[in-house]
């Protein structure tokens, strides 16, 4: 066997990578099937959905013998990351079973590329080897660029070009950071990199500190793009605007989950070296990531752009968990996953053929005026998701923010909890603004209709609303299952 392959995969347990193999194999199978049999959207969704559902069950019930097998990890971060990626991808794929026809979901290439993209993100969270992380990052990013471009809208093409450009820059930064870490330590797996950095600093080797901080800046820049860390967030609102609510929902959850797990591993390797400087830099970035998008969301007139800035701010809360340890990170992201999928499902329900003919998907606040009178069920579901995003009890994000604040305060932080509480109050303004439009304003001349609704979409949105309202039990079940 090739020495590089044997070093990456000694005594590899194939069960560890089964979800990854299923996604790649399923994507290849769908490509061949669509060529030989002809394209059928319902069949493609069914096959891709079965593959993702089986992946969810496999990850949920897989009991690994150790925390790592070669450079592939089976620890809590890896399994939780894979589970959330597969689960969110499955739920969002079900939204493709819409009543109206939209070009991106009527394209045969969409479903194989979707599975390839999921496979890339699964690889990112399954390993701490920097070359494998880069492989997952680039394969997922390339597939995502193509999926953005095939919706045949001018804003979609623009979004794809912007994402591709930023992704290339992020890839360059990541490669440079990897090269510098290899120069400093002689290793490419993050566990050995961490030991190497501590050894280098212990022996006070000259010229190490500048290279160390350049490597840190490159890694944070590359991964900051993936999770929309300020100041690497500017692409996010335009990407949301250029894509359907389904794909915007995917971008708000899945790539960030993968990026958060990798940031967790990278910071763990970098800590205990110049940890004081790293902690202060990272605290400042978190505060900016929570605050600046919150202020920008107040100025938005389109609901989807508001959701874009909102999701960046929520990423800041999750990043605070990364700095203080991963205790609340996955609990917070699970609750965010439930809420955000439901919110974007509502936007997808009211999307119609007129939206398909426009250059982009637009959801101005005025479109939702008087929704309680025209579509009371949609208004009630929307209210649940908006109250959750605002952190109003007893809905899901309230418990998420409580967990994050508890963890940050437990680490004797003062600055970040103040920033979080103040920004939570600010965020309530733009969420309640939409609630006021739906419940207290007269219906618009062209009120939204559930033109795109199907039983599958209603089932996803209603299930997410139910889980959102009773999230304390979801959270308790997740925490208990992790302790078992």
């Amino acid at each position: 066997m090739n020495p590089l392959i044997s070093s990456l995969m000694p005594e590899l347990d194939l069960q560890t990578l089964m979800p990854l193999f299923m996604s790649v194999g399923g994507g290849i199978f769908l490509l061949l099937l669509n060529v030989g049999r002809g394209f059928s959207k319902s069949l493609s969704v069914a096959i891709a959905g079965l593959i993702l559902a089986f992946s969810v069950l496999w990850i949920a019930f897989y009991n690994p013998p150790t925390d790592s097998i070669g450079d592939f990890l089976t620890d809590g971060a890896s399994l939780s990351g894979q589970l959330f990626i597969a689960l969110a991808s499955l739920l969002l794929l079900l939204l493709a079973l819409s009543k109206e026809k939209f070009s991106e979901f009527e394209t045969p290439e969409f479903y194989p590329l979707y599975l390839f993209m999921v496979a890339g993100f699964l690889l990112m969270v399954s390993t701490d080897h920097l070359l494998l992380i880069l492989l997952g990052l680039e394969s997922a990013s390339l597939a995502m660029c193509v999926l953005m471009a095939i919706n045949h809208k001018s804003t979609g093409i623009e979004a794809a070009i912007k994402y591709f450009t930023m992704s290339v820059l992020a890839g360059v930064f990541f490669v440079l950071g990897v090269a510098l870490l290899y120069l400093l330590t002689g290793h490419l797996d993050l566990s050995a990199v961490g030991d190497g950095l501590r050894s280098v600093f212990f022996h006070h080797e000259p010229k190490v500190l500048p290279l160390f901080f350049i490597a840190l800046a490159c890694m944070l820049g590359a991964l900051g793009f993936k999770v929309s860390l300020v100041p690497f967030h500017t692409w996010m609102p335009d990407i949301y605007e250029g894509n359907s609510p389904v794909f915007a929902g995917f971008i708000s959850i899945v790539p960030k989950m993968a990026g958060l797990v990798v940031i967790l591993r990278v910071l763990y390797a970098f800590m205990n070296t110049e940890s004081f400087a790293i902690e202060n830099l990272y605290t400042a970035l978190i505060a900016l990531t929570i605050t600046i998008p919150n202020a920008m969301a107040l100025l938005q007139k389109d609901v989807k752009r508001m959701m874009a800035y909102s999701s960046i701010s929520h990423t800041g809360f999750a990043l605070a968990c990364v700095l203080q340890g991963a205790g609340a990170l996955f609990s917070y992201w699970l609750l965010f996953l439930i809420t955000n999928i439901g919110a974007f499902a509502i936007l997808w329900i009211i999307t119609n053929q007129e939206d398909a003919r426009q250059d982009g998907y637009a959801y101005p606040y005025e479109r939702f005026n008087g929704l309680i009178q025209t579509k009371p069920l949609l208004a009630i579901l929307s209210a649940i998701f908006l109250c959750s995003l605002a952190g109003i009890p007893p809905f899901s994000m309230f418990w998420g923010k409580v967990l994050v604040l508890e963890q940050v305060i437990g680490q004797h932080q003062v600055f970040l909890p103040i920033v979080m509480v103040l920004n939570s109050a600010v965020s309530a303004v733009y969420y309640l603004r939409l609630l006021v439009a739906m419940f207290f304003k007269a219906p618009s001349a062209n009120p939204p209709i559930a033109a795109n609704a199907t039983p599958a979409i209603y089932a996803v949105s209603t299930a997410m609303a139910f889980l959102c309202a009773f999230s304390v039990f979801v959270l308790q079940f997740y925490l208990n299952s992790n302790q078992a």
Side-chain angles (χ1 to χ4, degrees), residues 262-472:
V262 177
I263 287 178
L264 175 67
R265 302 197 192 284
V266 169
L267 284 183
Y268 181 78
F270 276 71
M271 295 303 281
N272 300 322
T273 50
E274 288 293 315
S275 58
F276 178 78
I278 294 173
E279 187 169 335
N280 281 279
L281 170 64
Y282 199 68
T283 299
L285 290 175
I286 291 170
L288 291 173
T289 302
I290 294 174
T291 305
I292 292 178
N294 241 358
M296 294 300 297
L298 288 170
L299 306 176
Q300 302 307 308
K301 298 180 179 180
D302 184 271
V303 172
K304 194 136 67 76
R305 287 186 70 90
M306 179 271 285
M307 292 286 290
Y309 285 109
S310 163
S311 73
I312 298 170
S313 184
H314 282 288
T315 304
F317 280 83
L319 287 166
C321 303
V322 172
L323 180 63
Q324 304 299 334
L329 169 62
F330 295 102
S331 299
Y332 187 87
W333 210 250
L334 173 62
L335 299 174
F336 180 72
L337 179 156
I338 292 169
T339 307
N340 236 35
I341 289 177
F344 280 102
I346 297 298
L347 293 182
W348 190 231
I349 285 173
I350 66 169
T351 305
N352 52 44
Q353 280 299 316
E354 185 177 346
D355 296 307
R357 289 189 290 269
Q358 301 298 321
D359 289 335
Y361 294 96
Y363 301 89
Y365 279 79
E366 293 76 15
R367 185 170 176 176
F368 298 85
N369 286 351
L371 188 64
I372 188 63
Q373 299 177 38
T374 57
K375 290 291 177 183
L377 176 60
L378 290 186
I380 292 170
L381 293 175
S382 300
I384 292 174
F385 298 127
L386 290 171
C387 289
S388 174
L389 288 168
I392 297 173
F395 302 107
S396 59
M397 296 312 298
F398 168 77
W399 303 110
K401 291 183 178 181
V402 167
L403 287 174
V404 172
L405 284 169
E406 181 183 19
Q407 181 171 321
V408 174
I409 292 171
Q411 298 292 330
H412 307 292
Q413 285 271 351
V414 177
F415 175 65
L416 275 182
I418 294 173
V419 170
M420 291 175 179
V421 171
L422 291 176
N423 277 279
S424 294
V426 171
S427 67
V429 175
Y430 52 80
Y431 293 127
L432 294 177
R433 177 184 167 196
L434 183 55
L435 280 174
V436 168
M438 291 191 298
F439 284 84
F440 299 104
K441 292 192 176 181
S444 58
N446 296 308
I449 57 174
N452 206 27
T454 60
I457 299 177
Y458 265 127
V460 171
S461 58
T462 306
M464 294 302 103
F466 181 83
L467 294 176
C468 201
F470 297 97
S471 55
V472 65

Side-chain angles (χ1 to χ4, degrees), residues 2-341:
N2 184 286
L4 176 61
I5 297 176
S6 62
S7 69
L8 292 176
M9 301 186 294
E11 302 177 3
L12 179 61
D13 181 3
L14 294 180
Q15 296 181 69
T16 306
L17 295 179
M18 185 60 70
L20 176 64
F21 290 151
M22 287 190 294
S23 295
V24 174
I28 295 172
F29 175 75
L30 275 177
L31 275 176
L32 298 176
L33 182 67
N34 289 335
V35 169
R37 184 184 181 279
F39 173 65
S40 167
K41 184 178 84 168
S42 57
L43 180 61
S44 295
V45 172
I47 293 173
L50 284 173
I51 290 168
L52 292 173
F54 191 74
S55 298
V56 170
L57 293 174
W58 186 278
I59 298 164
F61 292 103
Y62 176 52
N63 187 19
T66 62
D67 283 347
S68 64
I69 301 173
D71 284 301
F72 294 98
L73 305 178
T74 55
D75 56 5
S78 174
L79 293 178
S80 293
Q82 290 183 68
L83 180 64
F84 293 170
I85 288 170
L87 179 61
S89 302
L90 171 62
L91 292 172
L92 288 164
L93 181 66
L94 295 177
L95 300 183
L97 296 170
S98 57
K99 184 177 293 184
E100 302 282 353
K101 291 186 177 181
F102 297 89
S103 57
E104 54 265 50
F105 299 114
E106 301 297 325
T107 306
E109 294 81 9
F110 179 90
Y111 302 96
L113 285 170
Y114 190 84
L115 290 175
F116 292 149
M117 179 176 59
V118 172
F121 290 127
L122 290 174
L123 178 59
M124 282 181 66
V125 302
S126 301
T127 181
D128 70 343
H129 197 283
L130 289 168
L131 289 184
L132 292 176
I133 292 172
L134 178 64
L135 177 62
L137 176 70
E138 292 304 310
S139 58
S141 297
L142 286 173
M144 188 179 291
C145 288
V146 178
L147 291 177
M148 289 179 189
I150 63 176
N151 65 18
H152 304 307
K153 292 179 180 290
S154 60
T155 52
I157 300 294
E158 180 185 352
I161 293 172
K162 286 181 178 179
Y163 188 85
F164 178 78
T165 304
M166 295 294 290
S167 183
V168 168
L169 289 174
V172 170
F173 280 121
F174 192 88
V175 169
L176 181 57
V178 170
L180 290 174
L181 289 177
Y182 186 76
L183 176 65
L184 288 170
T185 66
H187 297 283
L188 288 172
D189 54 301
L190 285 168
S191 56
V193 165
D195 294 336
L197 288 174
R198 284 184 279 276
S199 175
V200 166
F201 276 93
F202 179 78
H203 291 96
H204 303 288
E205 296 185 18
K207 299 182 181 178
V208 165
L209 199 59
L211 292 177
F212 171 81
F213 279 113
I214 293 173
L216 175 64
C218 289
M219 298 298 285
L220 280 181
L223 297 172
F225 158 77
K226 187 57 64 180
V227 300
S228 61
L229 176 72
V230 172
F232 312 103
H233 69 293
T234 52
W235 60 276
M236 179 69 83
D238 293 335
I239 300 301
Y240 270 54
E241 192 173 26
N243 287 279
S244 69
V246 177
F247 206 60
F250 183 93
I251 295 167
S252 72
I253 298 168
V254 176
K256 292 184 180 182
M257 181 75 268
L260 287 168
V261 173
V262 177
I263 287 178
L264 175 67
R265 302 197 192 284
V266 169
L267 284 183
Y268 181 78
F270 276 71
M271 295 303 281
N272 300 322
T273 50
E274 288 293 315
S275 58
F276 178 78
I278 294 173
E279 187 169 335
N280 281 279
L281 170 64
Y282 199 68
T283 299
L285 290 175
I286 291 170
L288 291 173
T289 302
I290 294 174
T291 305
I292 292 178
N294 241 358
M296 294 300 297
L298 288 170
L299 306 176
Q300 302 307 308
K301 298 180 179 180
D302 184 271
V303 172
K304 194 136 67 76
R305 287 186 70 90
M306 179 271 285
M307 292 286 290
Y309 285 109
S310 163
S311 73
I312 298 170
S313 184
H314 282 288
T315 304
F317 280 83
L319 287 166
C321 303
V322 172
L323 180 63
Q324 304 299 334
L329 169 62
F330 295 102
S331 299
Y332 187 87
W333 210 250
L334 173 62
L335 299 174
F336 180 72
L337 179 156
I338 292 169
T339 307
N340 236 35
I341 289 177

